[in-house]
Amino acid sequence: MQRLIPTGEAARPVAFAEVPQPVPEPGEALIKVEAFAPNRGETFLLERPRPDLLPGKDIAGLVVQAAADGSGPGIGARVVGHPAQGGWAEYAAVPTHSLAVLPDSIDSARAAALPLAGITALRLLRTAGSLAGRRVLLTGASGGVGHYVTELAVGAGADLTAVTATPVRGERLAELGANVVHEVAAAQGPFDVVLESTGGPDLPLALSKMRPGGLLVWFGQASRIPVTLDFFQLLGGPERVTIQHFHYAQAPYHADLSALVSLVEQRRLHPEIGRITDWAQTADTLVDLRERRIRGKAVLLTGGAP
Ligand SMILES: NC(=O)c1ccc[n+]([C@@H]2O[C@H](COP(=O)([O-])OP(=O)(O)OC[C@H]3O[C@@H](n4cnc5c(N)ncnc54)[C@H](OP(=O)(O)O)[C@@H]3O)[C@@H](O)[C@H]2O)c1
């Protein structure tokens, strides 16, 4: 079968290789992959790939072999999955605790856009606590995670300010109910909660716009610039703030995947797909994702462009 493997080259981060089909463990189902979606964090891993790296965490497709231990969906079920790796291939072995069954109303492209970004959004919002009537600042908002966080937080009653590079990148977020600004400096505080993923100078600036005792959840560093904080600046500003480091990754994912599928089915969550194309275009798409040229999610199809 065909699989995309890392090259270590910035201009073409992956290339096709002919490899044997994976052999599932007893708790894994074999999925024929119809669509997959890359994430910003995966583009970082591809810069200096470990020798054993098999990229691909977000997939949707068809169960062609059910798990030998009897768990999970049966043969023929349409599923969305979040394997630890190996999803950018014609077939992937996925633990059944990281699969959810899809209804007919959700196609594979929209489903593949869900796992990592959607689970991150759900878990971020749980970390933030109740958002009803609370003021929230979200940085790096135009990406995959940002669109899901915005729709779910506004739906939960938050007054959300989203930071995007340009008005065009904020258009859909505004439709979803966000106040959109184009730099953290322009955001009108004070905020109860900050969801920060760009790092560099943005984090201390966002921190200075919080109310005393507020919560800043730090979940990324898209700018690649480390953060510098000055203890004494906070004495003149919002004291007693909490900064919480966040990482979404903790299996099992079945329950959160099922929740995302259900929200999409009920039209309470809408995957925002900025690019959908054939998986022959994966290398170019990864470069464009890394260089901020894609709004929302990018989805690659193994069966040809739509
Ligand atoms: N901690 C976790 O568990 C976890 C899980 C998933 C994702 N993440 C992180 O969360 C962030 C969002 O993930 P994603 O998958 O939604 O990524 P994404 O789709 O690539 O979106 C990232 C957004 O960050 C903004 N951005 C990129 N480079 C920037 C820069 N140099 N300065 C300021 N803003 C920049 C871009 O928006 P504009 O170009 O419009 O500004 C982009 O839309 C990433 O940093 C990712 O690594 C963390």
Side-chain angles (χ1 to χ4, degrees), residues 40 116 120 140 142-145 164-165 169 197-198 219-223 246-248 289 292:
R40 174 161 290 267
L116 197 151
T120 298
S142 72
V145 175
T164 67
R169 292 174 76 78
S197 67
T198 52
F219 71 102
Q221 194 161 285
S223 70
F246 172 93
H247 190 205
Y248 87 100
L289 184 66
R292 296 166 82 170

Side-chain angles (χ1 to χ4, degrees), residues 60-78:
L62 201 64
V63 176
V64 291
Q65 186 181 319
D69 68 0
S71 64
I75 195 163
R78 294 182 59 246

Side-chain angles (χ1 to χ4, degrees), residues 45-215:
L45 290 178
L46 287 168
E47 288 176 3
R48 274 172 294 281
R50 296 186 326 258
D52 60 344
L53 177 67
L54 297 178
K57 290 171 175 289
D58 291 350
I59 65 160
L62 201 64
V63 176
V64 291
Q65 186 181 319
D69 68 0
S71 64
I75 195 163
R78 294 182 59 246
V79 291
V80 57
H82 188 53
Q85 61 172 4
W88 300 353
E90 285 179 281
Y91 294 89
V94 184
T96 53
H97 61 59
S98 297
L99 287 173
V101 172
L102 291 170
D104 290 344
S105 60
I106 303 180
D107 61 36
S108 293
R110 283 196 302 152
L114 284 173
L116 197 151
I119 295 167
T120 298
L122 284 180
R123 294 182 178 187
L124 265 176
L125 295 176
R126 287 185 199 125
T127 301
S130 171
L131 293 180
R134 300 184 83 193
R135 303 203 68 234
V136 178
L137 176 64
L138 171 68
T139 61
S142 72
V145 175
H147 282 84
Y148 291 135
V149 165
T150 297
E151 190 164 11
L152 293 172
V154 170
D159 174 357
L160 184 136
T161 298
V163 187
T164 67
T166 62
V168 170
R169 292 174 76 78
E171 265 172 15
R172 176 62 182 152
L173 298 166
E175 284 173 15
L176 292 171
N179 317 303
V180 181
V181 297
H182 308 301
E183 50 187 17
V184 176
Q188 293 285 329
F191 294 99
D192 300 292
V193 172
V194 171
L195 303 174
E196 209 299 289
S197 67
T198 52
D202 282 355
L203 191 150
L205 196 51
L207 200 57
S208 73
K209 291 173 180 279
M210 299 189 71
R211 69 161 176 76
L215 171 66

Side-chain angles (χ1 to χ4, degrees), residues 1-7 12-19 36 46 53-56 86-91 278-283 286 300-302:
M1 69 164 196
Q2 294 277 297
R3 169 188 295 295
L4 286 163
I5 57 166
T7 61
R12 291 203 71 72
V14 293
F16 282 106
E18 185 66 31
V19 298
F36 62 83
L46 287 168
L53 177 67
L54 297 178
W88 300 353
E90 285 179 281
Y91 294 89
D278 186 276
W279 70 323
Q281 307 300 318
T282 304
L286 289 168
L300 287 311
L301 304 175
T302 59

